[in-house]
Short mmCIF file of all heavy atoms in Angstrom, two decimals:
data_model
loop_
_atom_site.label_atom_id
_atom_site.label_comp_id
_atom_site.label_asym_id
_atom_site.label_seq_id
_atom_site.Cartn_x
_atom_site.Cartn_y
_atom_site.Cartn_z
N THR G 31 -85.51 -103.34 91.32
CA THR G 31 -84.38 -103.14 92.20
C THR G 31 -83.46 -104.34 92.20
O THR G 31 -82.24 -104.23 92.06
CB THR G 31 -84.88 -102.88 93.66
OG1 THR G 31 -85.88 -101.86 93.61
CG2 THR G 31 -83.75 -102.45 94.54
N MET G 32 -84.05 -105.52 92.31
CA MET G 32 -83.24 -106.73 92.30
C MET G 32 -82.57 -106.93 90.94
O MET G 32 -81.43 -107.34 90.84
CB MET G 32 -84.13 -107.96 92.63
CG MET G 32 -83.35 -109.26 92.65
SD MET G 32 -82.12 -109.32 93.96
CE MET G 32 -83.14 -109.83 95.33
N VAL G 33 -83.30 -106.61 89.86
CA VAL G 33 -82.72 -106.72 88.55
C VAL G 33 -81.49 -105.81 88.44
O VAL G 33 -80.44 -106.19 87.89
CB VAL G 33 -83.75 -106.34 87.45
CG1 VAL G 33 -83.08 -106.26 86.08
CG2 VAL G 33 -84.87 -107.36 87.44
N LEU G 34 -81.62 -104.60 88.97
CA LEU G 34 -80.50 -103.65 88.88
C LEU G 34 -79.31 -104.15 89.70
O LEU G 34 -78.17 -104.07 89.26
CB LEU G 34 -80.94 -102.27 89.39
CG LEU G 34 -79.89 -101.16 89.35
CD1 LEU G 34 -79.37 -101.00 87.92
CD2 LEU G 34 -80.45 -99.85 89.89
N TYR G 35 -79.60 -104.69 90.92
CA TYR G 35 -78.52 -105.19 91.75
C TYR G 35 -77.84 -106.40 91.07
O TYR G 35 -76.63 -106.58 91.19
CB TYR G 35 -79.03 -105.62 93.13
CG TYR G 35 -79.46 -104.43 93.99
CD1 TYR G 35 -80.15 -104.62 95.17
CD2 TYR G 35 -79.15 -103.14 93.65
CE1 TYR G 35 -80.55 -103.55 95.96
CE2 TYR G 35 -79.53 -102.08 94.41
CZ TYR G 35 -80.23 -102.29 95.56
OH TYR G 35 -80.60 -101.21 96.35
N ALA G 36 -78.66 -107.20 90.37
CA ALA G 36 -78.12 -108.33 89.68
C ALA G 36 -77.18 -107.91 88.54
O ALA G 36 -76.23 -108.62 88.19
CB ALA G 36 -79.24 -109.22 89.12
N THR G 37 -77.44 -106.74 87.98
CA THR G 37 -76.57 -106.25 86.89
C THR G 37 -75.38 -105.48 87.44
O THR G 37 -74.51 -105.09 86.66
CB THR G 37 -77.35 -105.30 85.96
OG1 THR G 37 -77.82 -104.17 86.69
CG2 THR G 37 -78.56 -106.01 85.34
N ALA G 38 -75.32 -105.26 88.76
CA ALA G 38 -74.20 -104.51 89.34
C ALA G 38 -72.87 -105.20 89.07
O ALA G 38 -71.86 -104.53 88.83
CB ALA G 38 -74.39 -104.33 90.84
N LEU G 39 -72.88 -106.52 89.10
CA LEU G 39 -71.61 -107.28 88.86
C LEU G 39 -71.08 -107.02 87.44
O LEU G 39 -69.95 -106.59 87.29
CB LEU G 39 -71.83 -108.75 89.13
CG LEU G 39 -70.64 -109.66 88.95
CD1 LEU G 39 -69.50 -109.31 89.89
CD2 LEU G 39 -71.03 -111.14 89.18
N PRO G 40 -71.90 -107.31 86.38
CA PRO G 40 -71.36 -107.06 85.03
C PRO G 40 -71.08 -105.57 84.77
O PRO G 40 -70.15 -105.24 84.05
CB PRO G 40 -72.46 -107.60 84.09
CG PRO G 40 -73.69 -107.69 84.93
CD PRO G 40 -73.22 -107.96 86.33
N LEU G 41 -71.91 -104.68 85.36
CA LEU G 41 -71.67 -103.26 85.16
C LEU G 41 -70.36 -102.80 85.74
O LEU G 41 -69.61 -102.03 85.11
CB LEU G 41 -72.83 -102.43 85.77
CG LEU G 41 -74.16 -102.42 85.03
CD1 LEU G 41 -75.18 -101.60 85.83
CD2 LEU G 41 -73.99 -101.88 83.62
N SER G 42 -70.06 -103.30 86.94
CA SER G 42 -68.80 -102.88 87.60
C SER G 42 -67.60 -103.48 86.86
O SER G 42 -66.57 -102.79 86.71
CB SER G 42 -68.80 -103.31 89.06
OG SER G 42 -69.04 -104.70 89.20
N VAL G 43 -67.72 -104.72 86.36
CA VAL G 43 -66.65 -105.31 85.59
C VAL G 43 -66.45 -104.53 84.30
O VAL G 43 -65.29 -104.24 83.90
CB VAL G 43 -66.97 -106.79 85.28
CG1 VAL G 43 -65.95 -107.35 84.28
CG2 VAL G 43 -66.93 -107.64 86.57
N ALA G 44 -67.53 -104.14 83.62
CA ALA G 44 -67.43 -103.38 82.38
C ALA G 44 -66.76 -102.04 82.64
O ALA G 44 -65.92 -101.57 81.85
CB ALA G 44 -68.82 -103.17 81.79
N LEU G 45 -67.12 -101.39 83.75
CA LEU G 45 -66.50 -100.11 84.06
C LEU G 45 -65.00 -100.25 84.30
O LEU G 45 -64.20 -99.41 83.87
CB LEU G 45 -67.18 -99.52 85.31
CG LEU G 45 -66.76 -98.12 85.74
CD1 LEU G 45 -67.03 -97.09 84.64
CD2 LEU G 45 -67.46 -97.71 87.03
N LEU G 46 -64.63 -101.33 84.95
CA LEU G 46 -63.19 -101.56 85.19
C LEU G 46 -62.45 -101.77 83.89
O LEU G 46 -61.36 -101.24 83.68
CB LEU G 46 -63.02 -102.78 86.11
CG LEU G 46 -63.22 -102.56 87.60
CD1 LEU G 46 -63.22 -103.90 88.33
CD2 LEU G 46 -62.10 -101.69 88.14
N VAL G 47 -63.02 -102.59 83.03
CA VAL G 47 -62.37 -102.89 81.76
C VAL G 47 -62.19 -101.63 80.92
O VAL G 47 -61.12 -101.34 80.37
CB VAL G 47 -63.17 -103.98 80.96
CG1 VAL G 47 -62.62 -104.12 79.54
CG2 VAL G 47 -63.13 -105.30 81.68
N VAL G 48 -63.27 -100.85 80.81
CA VAL G 48 -63.22 -99.61 80.05
C VAL G 48 -62.18 -98.66 80.61
O VAL G 48 -61.41 -98.00 79.90
CB VAL G 48 -64.62 -98.96 80.01
CG1 VAL G 48 -64.51 -97.55 79.38
CG2 VAL G 48 -65.57 -99.79 79.19
N SER G 49 -62.12 -98.56 81.97
CA SER G 49 -61.17 -97.67 82.60
C SER G 49 -59.73 -98.10 82.34
O SER G 49 -58.87 -97.28 82.03
CB SER G 49 -61.43 -97.66 84.11
OG SER G 49 -62.71 -97.21 84.40
N CYS G 50 -59.48 -99.38 82.41
CA CYS G 50 -58.13 -99.91 82.15
C CYS G 50 -57.69 -99.67 80.70
O CYS G 50 -56.56 -99.24 80.42
CB CYS G 50 -58.04 -101.40 82.45
SG CYS G 50 -58.13 -101.78 84.22
N VAL G 51 -58.64 -99.90 79.78
CA VAL G 51 -58.33 -99.68 78.35
C VAL G 51 -58.05 -98.20 78.11
O VAL G 51 -57.12 -97.81 77.39
CB VAL G 51 -59.50 -100.16 77.47
CG1 VAL G 51 -59.29 -99.72 76.02
CG2 VAL G 51 -59.62 -101.68 77.55
N SER G 52 -58.89 -97.32 78.71
CA SER G 52 -58.71 -95.86 78.54
C SER G 52 -57.35 -95.43 79.05
O SER G 52 -56.66 -94.62 78.43
CB SER G 52 -59.84 -95.15 79.27
OG SER G 52 -59.61 -93.75 79.26
N LEU G 53 -56.97 -95.95 80.22
CA LEU G 53 -55.69 -95.59 80.82
C LEU G 53 -54.53 -96.09 79.95
O LEU G 53 -53.53 -95.37 79.73
CB LEU G 53 -55.60 -96.17 82.24
CG LEU G 53 -54.28 -95.89 83.00
CD1 LEU G 53 -54.04 -94.40 83.15
CD2 LEU G 53 -54.32 -96.58 84.35
N LYS G 54 -54.65 -97.32 79.47
CA LYS G 54 -53.58 -97.88 78.67
C LYS G 54 -53.39 -97.13 77.34
O LYS G 54 -52.26 -96.86 76.91
CB LYS G 54 -53.91 -99.37 78.37
CG LYS G 54 -52.85 -100.09 77.61
CD LYS G 54 -51.57 -100.25 78.42
CE LYS G 54 -50.51 -101.09 77.70
NZ LYS G 54 -49.24 -101.15 78.44
N MET G 55 -54.52 -96.73 76.75
CA MET G 55 -54.42 -96.05 75.44
C MET G 55 -53.93 -94.62 75.58
O MET G 55 -53.17 -94.13 74.75
CB MET G 55 -55.81 -96.06 74.74
CG MET G 55 -56.26 -97.45 74.33
SD MET G 55 -57.87 -97.44 73.50
CE MET G 55 -57.51 -96.46 72.08
N SER G 56 -54.36 -93.94 76.64
CA SER G 56 -53.99 -92.53 76.78
C SER G 56 -52.58 -92.37 77.39
O SER G 56 -51.86 -91.41 77.08
CB SER G 56 -54.98 -91.82 77.71
OG SER G 56 -54.90 -92.31 79.02
N GLY G 57 -52.19 -93.35 78.21
CA GLY G 57 -50.87 -93.28 78.83
C GLY G 57 -50.74 -92.26 79.91
O GLY G 57 -49.65 -92.04 80.48
N ARG G 58 -51.82 -91.58 80.25
CA ARG G 58 -51.76 -90.58 81.33
C ARG G 58 -52.84 -90.88 82.36
O ARG G 58 -53.83 -91.51 82.09
CB ARG G 58 -51.94 -89.17 80.76
CG ARG G 58 -53.32 -88.91 80.17
CD ARG G 58 -53.42 -87.51 79.54
NE ARG G 58 -54.75 -87.22 79.05
CZ ARG G 58 -55.73 -86.74 79.79
NH1 ARG G 58 -55.51 -86.47 81.09
NH2 ARG G 58 -56.92 -86.49 79.29
N ILE G 59 -52.60 -90.36 83.56
CA ILE G 59 -53.47 -90.62 84.69
C ILE G 59 -54.58 -89.58 84.73
O ILE G 59 -54.32 -88.41 85.06
CB ILE G 59 -52.70 -90.63 86.02
CG1 ILE G 59 -51.51 -91.59 85.94
CG2 ILE G 59 -53.59 -90.97 87.18
CD1 ILE G 59 -50.52 -91.43 87.05
N ALA G 60 -55.79 -89.99 84.38
CA ALA G 60 -56.97 -89.09 84.47
C ALA G 60 -57.68 -89.35 85.78
O ALA G 60 -58.00 -90.50 86.09
CB ALA G 60 -57.89 -89.32 83.28
N PRO G 61 -57.94 -88.33 86.59
CA PRO G 61 -58.56 -88.52 87.91
C PRO G 61 -59.90 -89.26 87.82
O PRO G 61 -60.18 -90.11 88.66
CB PRO G 61 -58.74 -87.09 88.41
CG PRO G 61 -57.72 -86.29 87.73
CD PRO G 61 -57.57 -86.91 86.37
N HIS G 62 -60.71 -88.95 86.78
CA HIS G 62 -62.02 -89.61 86.71
C HIS G 62 -61.89 -91.09 86.37
O HIS G 62 -62.71 -91.89 86.81
CB HIS G 62 -62.92 -88.88 85.68
CG HIS G 62 -62.50 -89.14 84.26
ND1 HIS G 62 -61.53 -88.42 83.60
CD2 HIS G 62 -62.96 -90.06 83.35
CE1 HIS G 62 -61.39 -88.86 82.38
NE2 HIS G 62 -62.26 -89.85 82.17
N VAL G 63 -60.82 -91.47 85.67
CA VAL G 63 -60.63 -92.88 85.35
C VAL G 63 -60.27 -93.66 86.63
O VAL G 63 -60.79 -94.76 86.88
CB VAL G 63 -59.52 -93.04 84.28
CG1 VAL G 63 -59.18 -94.52 84.11
CG2 VAL G 63 -59.94 -92.43 82.97
N ALA G 64 -59.38 -93.10 87.44
CA ALA G 64 -59.05 -93.74 88.70
C ALA G 64 -60.24 -93.83 89.64
O ALA G 64 -60.47 -94.85 90.29
CB ALA G 64 -57.92 -92.93 89.39
#
């Protein structure tokens, strides 16, 4: 549990980066990305 919580920070950052890249490349607003 603690290991998973410790990975929450890099996981959330990775999710943000991937979402931003996906939005930038597609140029359209996808609800699941937001």
Side-chain angles (χ1 to χ4, degrees):
T31 310
M32 181 64 84
V33 172
L34 182 57
Y35 290 169
T37 62
L39 181 62
L41 285 179
S42 55
V43 171
L45 184 60
L46 279 172
V47 171
V48 170
S49 300
C50 289
V51 170
S52 173
L53 179 60
K54 183 66 175 176
M55 291 180 64
S56 66
R58 65 184 184 85
I59 305 167
H62 73 275
V63 173

